[in-house]
């Protein structure tokens, strides 16, 4: 029952995309190329927030953008006091926005040429305030193939998506900050990213903040329009998930329930077999 963005009809609404970057020399050229190839959105702008990059990100960014007037680069001086780096960068971009829709994107995500067009049409057609088109997660090593599918499993097996769409609750909020879209009017009501300034799982928490304020949104199937490779080996997976995963289930009790659930339906059957 997951929603799939399919409509690639031209979009007239104004759209601004926020791209926070810090030391992204491996990703920035391809990411910008994918953004420049976007079609179907008539009024589209990009704000790249360069947060104290110390590698070649700045030089590569300038070269990749070239003379494309749709791009604006904001150079920030690091996180605001009490803020984590990414959400601080997003807030700086948000404060510079004047558009109907706000898109946030990670630099390691690659969009298809009609990705933004299809995603904006989807949020409009469903009359929602935010959506999170979940990118296809590439898994190449054995560790990735064992663990990354559990990311989708965790919410696809525990949440009735159409119910969460119609009657959202903070406990059923699912979002992925790799690719997230919200109406500017909804973000204004929660003061942009103020409510998640120190949250590690800022994507899920911003969805919860929006739901608590009376807005509706849902995760959608973004595999056809976006893809990414989150982690490349077990060490990165352990470090990435180890610091924050339990928060995705609402705390330690929720994490224990999820652990018991996967043991019951994913591990015990193998042992019994």
């Amino acid at each position: 029952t997951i929603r799939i963005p399919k409509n690639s009809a031209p979009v007239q609404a104004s759209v601004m995309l926020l791209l926070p970057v810090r030391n992204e020399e491996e990703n920035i050229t391809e990411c910008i190329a994918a953004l420049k190839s976007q079609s179907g959105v008539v009024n589209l702008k990009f704000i790249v927030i360069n947060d104290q990059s110390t590698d070649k990100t700045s030089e590569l960014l300038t070269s990749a953008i070239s003379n494309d007037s749709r791009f604006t680069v904001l150079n920030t001086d690091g996180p605001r006091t009490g803020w984590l780096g990414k959400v601080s960068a997003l807030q700086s971009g948000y404060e510079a926005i004047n558009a109907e829709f706000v898109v946030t994107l990670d630099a390691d995500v690659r969009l298809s040429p009609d990705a933004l067009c299809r995603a904006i049409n989807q949020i409009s057609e469903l009359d929602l305030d935010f959506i999170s088109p979940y990118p296809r997660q590439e898994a190449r090593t054995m560790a990735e193939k064992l663990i990354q599918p559990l990311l989708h499993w965790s919410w696809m097996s525990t949440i009735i998506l159409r119910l969460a769409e119609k009657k959202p609750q903070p406990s059923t909020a699912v979002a992925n900050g790799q690719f997230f879209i919200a109406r500017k009017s909804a973000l204004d009501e929660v003061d942009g990213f103020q409510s998640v300034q120190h949250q590690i799982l800022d994507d899920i928490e911003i969805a919860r903040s929006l739901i608590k304020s009376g807005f509706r949104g849902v995760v959608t199937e973004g595999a056809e329009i976006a893809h990414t490779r989150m982690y490349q080996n077990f060490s990165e997976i352990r470090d990435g998930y180890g610091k924050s995963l339990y928060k995705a289930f609402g705390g330690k009790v929720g994490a224990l329930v999820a652990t018991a659930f996967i043991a019951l339906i994913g591990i015990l059957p193998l042992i019994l077999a």
Side-chain angles (χ1 to χ4, degrees), residues 117-174:
C117 177
R118 289 165 65 174
I120 297 299
N121 277 325
Q122 183 179 56
I123 190 174
S124 298
E125 290 167 353
L126 296 176
D127 194 26
L128 295 175
D129 301 295
F130 69 90
I131 61 170
S132 182
Y134 225 92
R136 182 174 74 252
Q137 305 293 320
E138 295 184 355
R140 301 175 189 174
T141 65
M142 181 59 68
E144 293 172 90
K145 292 177 180 179
L146 283 172
I147 296 174
Q148 284 300 86
L150 300 180
L151 188 63
H152 289 70
W153 168 89
S154 66
W155 49 266
M156 292 189 76
S157 63
T158 57
I159 295 175
I160 303 174
L161 294 176
R162 292 297 176 92
L163 181 61
E165 175 186 324
K166 300 298 181 183
K167 297 183 178 181
Q169 300 292 328
S171 59
T172 62
V174 181

Side-chain angles (χ1 to χ4, degrees), residues 52-144:
Q52 291 187 311
S53 292
T54 56
D55 60 3
K56 296 181 180 179
T57 296
S58 298
E59 297 93 318
L60 293 172
L61 178 60
T62 300
S63 175
I65 292 174
S66 187
N67 296 319
D68 195 324
S69 61
R70 295 175 298 173
F71 286 84
T72 299
V73 177
L74 295 180
N75 293 299
T76 62
D77 297 324
R80 307 169 186 216
T81 303
W83 289 63
L84 294 180
K86 179 182 176 180
V87 285
S88 177
L90 287 174
Q91 184 69 10
S92 296
Y94 160 78
E95 291 171 354
I97 277 181
N98 180 21
E100 295 173 67
F101 293 97
V102 179
V103 181
T104 67
L105 189 76
D106 283 358
D108 57 1
V109 176
R110 303 292 175 263
L111 298 180
S112 67
D114 61 353
L116 294 179
C117 177
R118 289 165 65 174
I120 297 299
N121 277 325
Q122 183 179 56
I123 190 174
S124 298
E125 290 167 353
L126 296 176
D127 194 26
L128 295 175
D129 301 295
F130 69 90
I131 61 170
S132 182
Y134 225 92
R136 182 174 74 252
Q137 305 293 320
E138 295 184 355
R140 301 175 189 174
T141 65
M142 181 59 68
E144 293 172 90

